[in-house]
Short mmCIF file of all heavy atoms in Angstrom, two decimals:
data_model
loop_
_atom_site.label_atom_id
_atom_site.label_comp_id
_atom_site.label_asym_id
_atom_site.label_seq_id
_atom_site.Cartn_x
_atom_site.Cartn_y
_atom_site.Cartn_z
N LEU E 205 129.25 84.87 134.86
CA LEU E 205 129.82 85.98 135.61
C LEU E 205 128.71 86.91 136.06
O LEU E 205 127.97 87.44 135.23
CB LEU E 205 130.84 86.74 134.71
CG LEU E 205 131.41 88.03 135.30
CD1 LEU E 205 132.26 87.75 136.55
CD2 LEU E 205 132.21 88.83 134.24
N VAL E 206 128.64 87.07 137.35
CA VAL E 206 127.64 88.04 137.93
C VAL E 206 128.40 89.09 138.70
O VAL E 206 129.14 88.82 139.66
CB VAL E 206 126.65 87.29 138.85
CG1 VAL E 206 125.67 88.28 139.47
CG2 VAL E 206 125.91 86.18 138.15
N ILE E 207 128.24 90.32 138.27
CA ILE E 207 128.89 91.45 138.88
C ILE E 207 127.83 92.30 139.64
O ILE E 207 126.75 92.53 139.09
CB ILE E 207 129.55 92.38 137.82
CG1 ILE E 207 130.68 91.54 137.12
CG2 ILE E 207 130.12 93.63 138.42
CD1 ILE E 207 131.24 92.25 135.91
N GLY E 208 128.15 92.74 140.88
CA GLY E 208 127.25 93.55 141.62
C GLY E 208 127.90 94.89 141.94
O GLY E 208 129.11 94.93 142.21
N VAL E 209 127.08 95.97 141.88
CA VAL E 209 127.59 97.31 142.18
C VAL E 209 126.70 97.97 143.15
O VAL E 209 125.49 98.01 143.00
CB VAL E 209 127.63 98.16 140.86
CG1 VAL E 209 128.18 99.55 141.17
CG2 VAL E 209 128.48 97.45 139.80
N ASP E 210 127.29 98.51 144.24
CA ASP E 210 126.53 99.22 145.24
C ASP E 210 127.57 100.12 145.97
O ASP E 210 128.74 100.03 145.79
CB ASP E 210 125.84 98.27 146.23
CG ASP E 210 124.64 98.94 146.91
OD1 ASP E 210 124.83 99.83 147.73
OD2 ASP E 210 123.51 98.49 146.64
N LEU E 211 127.02 101.03 146.83
CA LEU E 211 127.92 101.90 147.59
C LEU E 211 127.86 101.62 149.08
O LEU E 211 128.52 102.30 149.87
CB LEU E 211 127.63 103.37 147.33
CG LEU E 211 126.15 103.85 147.34
CD1 LEU E 211 125.60 103.90 148.76
CD2 LEU E 211 126.07 105.24 146.66
N VAL E 212 127.07 100.61 149.48
CA VAL E 212 126.96 100.25 150.88
C VAL E 212 127.83 98.99 151.18
O VAL E 212 127.64 97.96 150.54
CB VAL E 212 125.52 99.97 151.27
CG1 VAL E 212 125.40 99.56 152.77
CG2 VAL E 212 124.64 101.16 151.01
N LYS E 213 128.81 99.19 152.03
CA LYS E 213 129.79 98.13 152.27
C LYS E 213 129.13 96.79 152.66
O LYS E 213 129.52 95.73 152.14
CB LYS E 213 130.74 98.55 153.36
CG LYS E 213 131.82 97.51 153.73
CD LYS E 213 132.75 98.03 154.82
CE LYS E 213 133.78 96.97 155.19
NZ LYS E 213 134.65 97.43 156.28
N GLU E 214 128.14 96.85 153.57
CA GLU E 214 127.52 95.62 154.01
C GLU E 214 126.83 94.87 152.87
O GLU E 214 126.81 93.65 152.87
CB GLU E 214 126.52 95.93 155.15
CG GLU E 214 127.12 96.44 156.43
CD GLU E 214 127.39 97.94 156.47
OE1 GLU E 214 127.18 98.60 155.38
OE2 GLU E 214 127.71 98.44 157.55
N ARG E 215 126.25 95.62 151.93
CA ARG E 215 125.59 94.98 150.79
C ARG E 215 126.60 94.32 149.89
O ARG E 215 126.31 93.26 149.35
CB ARG E 215 124.75 95.99 150.08
CG ARG E 215 123.59 96.52 150.92
CD ARG E 215 122.70 97.48 150.17
NE ARG E 215 121.59 97.96 151.02
CZ ARG E 215 120.59 98.67 150.59
NH1 ARG E 215 120.52 99.06 149.31
NH2 ARG E 215 119.61 99.01 151.44
N LEU E 216 127.71 94.99 149.68
CA LEU E 216 128.76 94.39 148.85
C LEU E 216 129.32 93.10 149.46
O LEU E 216 129.52 92.12 148.84
CB LEU E 216 129.88 95.38 148.65
CG LEU E 216 129.51 96.65 147.85
CD1 LEU E 216 130.61 97.74 148.00
CD2 LEU E 216 129.29 96.35 146.36
#
Side-chain angles (χ1 to χ4, degrees):
L205 173 64
V206 179
I207 297 171
V209 180
D210 204 292
L211 47 72
V212 180
K213 179 180 178 181
E214 292 87 351
R215 295 182 178 188
L216 295 167

